[in-house]
Amino acid sequence: LNYPARTESIRSVTLQAKVSGYILDQAVPDGTDVKQGDALYRIDPRDYQAALDQVKAQAERDTASLDYAKTSLTRGNDLNKTGYLSKDVFDQRTSAVKQGEATLLADKAAIQAAEINLAYTQIKAPFDGRLGRNQASAGTLVSPGGTVLNTLVQLTPIYVTFNPSETDLVEIQKARAIGKIQAQVRVPGETQGRHRGELTFIDNSVDRATGTIVARATIDNGDLALLPGLPALTSSPCL
């Protein structure tokens, strides 16, 4: 069974900033094949580094205050037992320790938030794929959900989507009940299909207007020759 088809990426994302700032540089050229975790763009981190240093200093100050409050409470506990310290003063020292502990927890949360924001100044690849055309040159002011920096598409494996007729659907379903359905793909300029994979998806309804159903094969595309959007011819020789 042969069908006209179209290649589609399994994953495709628009790269945008999660923090505001000026683009310092693009780490890799346009069109580069990157791995998950590779650095793609860098936003000026100085404001976020300063914010992190500030909350760390605040945490150190609050830690010192808490240490003093705990020492004062320990002394007060001994005095309270001998009656040289009133219960009200002792309660105040106990409250000071609890407040200091709560303040330190808030400081730790602030440090974590500042570290996250600082990490966001480096935009990394969320998955293996190919980078597209840069849309934000160095010096561009970006903001969360604002300027698009680039696009990243996954090329391997890749989908090939086609539309079997409702009459072919019965035959395809019989073949799926027996085992996996192999598929091979031929793109313009090729005399034979050299990319192979298997049928992995059939939609849950038939289009009444066309009498066809959406089906999809997953192709390895190890040589990265297939790009999303290519017209193709899909055939299933085992049918």
Side-chain angles (χ1 to χ4, degrees):
L1 298 176
N2 299 293
Y3 304 99
R6 182 75 63 173
T7 57
E8 297 179 6
S9 61
I10 293 179
R11 288 186 290 183
S12 176
V13 297
T14 298
L15 299 175
Q16 293 178 284
K18 288 203 70 174
V19 293
S20 299
Y22 290 96
I23 295 292
L24 287 184
D25 54 50
Q26 180 180 346
V28 295
D30 293 352
T32 300
D33 293 321
V34 298
K35 296 294 185 181
Q36 181 178 0
D38 286 353
L40 304 180
Y41 287 88
R42 191 162 60 100
I43 298 172
D44 190 346
R46 289 176 294 179
D47 290 343
Y48 299 98
Q49 183 63 59
L52 177 58
D53 293 341
Q54 183 177 10
V55 293
K56 283 184 175 180
Q58 178 70 38
E60 291 181 3
R61 187 180 69 179
D62 291 337
T63 298
S65 298
L66 178 58
D67 290 342
Y68 174 78
K70 288 181 176 180
T71 301
S72 180
L73 178 61
T74 300
R75 291 197 303 265
N77 187 45
D78 296 335
L79 293 173
N80 185 53
K81 292 178 180 178
T82 59
Y84 288 102
L85 186 70
S86 68
K87 186 177 185 307
D88 182 63
V89 174
F90 179 76
D91 289 343
Q92 289 179 7
R93 294 186 181 185
T94 302
S95 176
V97 170
K98 292 181 178 180
Q99 290 180 41
E101 290 173 341
T103 299
L104 200 56
L105 287 175
D107 290 340
K108 290 180 179 179
I111 289 173
Q112 185 178 19
E115 288 174 341
I116 291 173
N117 286 333
L118 180 60
Y120 283 149
T121 61
Q122 193 173 57
I123 299 173
K124 299 181 179 181
F127 51 80
D128 295 358
R130 179 170 294 175
L131 198 63
R133 180 174 57 86
N134 177 46
Q135 301 181 52
S137 57
T140 302
L141 178 61
V142 295
S143 59
T147 306
V148 173
L149 307 182
N150 211 317
T151 56
L152 180 70
V153 296
Q154 178 179 325
L155 295 182
T156 178
I158 196 169
Y159 287 147
V160 176
T161 302
F162 53 99
N163 300 92
S165 66
E166 55 190 350
T167 55
D168 290 340
L169 180 59
V170 175
E171 191 172 352
I172 292 174
Q173 288 175 330
K174 288 180 180 179
R176 291 189 81 188
I178 298 173
K180 296 179 179 179
I181 299 180
Q182 296 180 352
Q184 61 182 19
V185 178
R186 178 163 57 89
V187 296
E190 294 181 343
T191 56
Q192 61 182 1
R194 60 188 180 91
H195 295 94
R196 289 174 168 79
E198 64 180 74
L199 182 69
T200 54
F201 170 78
I202 295 179
D203 208 351
N204 57 8
S205 61
V206 175
D207 188 324
R208 294 183 179 181
T210 62
T212 61
I213 191 169
V214 177
R216 180 183 294 149
T218 302
I219 308 299
D220 178 61
N221 194 31
D223 59 0
L224 306 181
L226 298 179
L227 298 179
L230 278 176
L233 179 67
T234 301
S235 62
S236 299
C238 73
L239 295 180

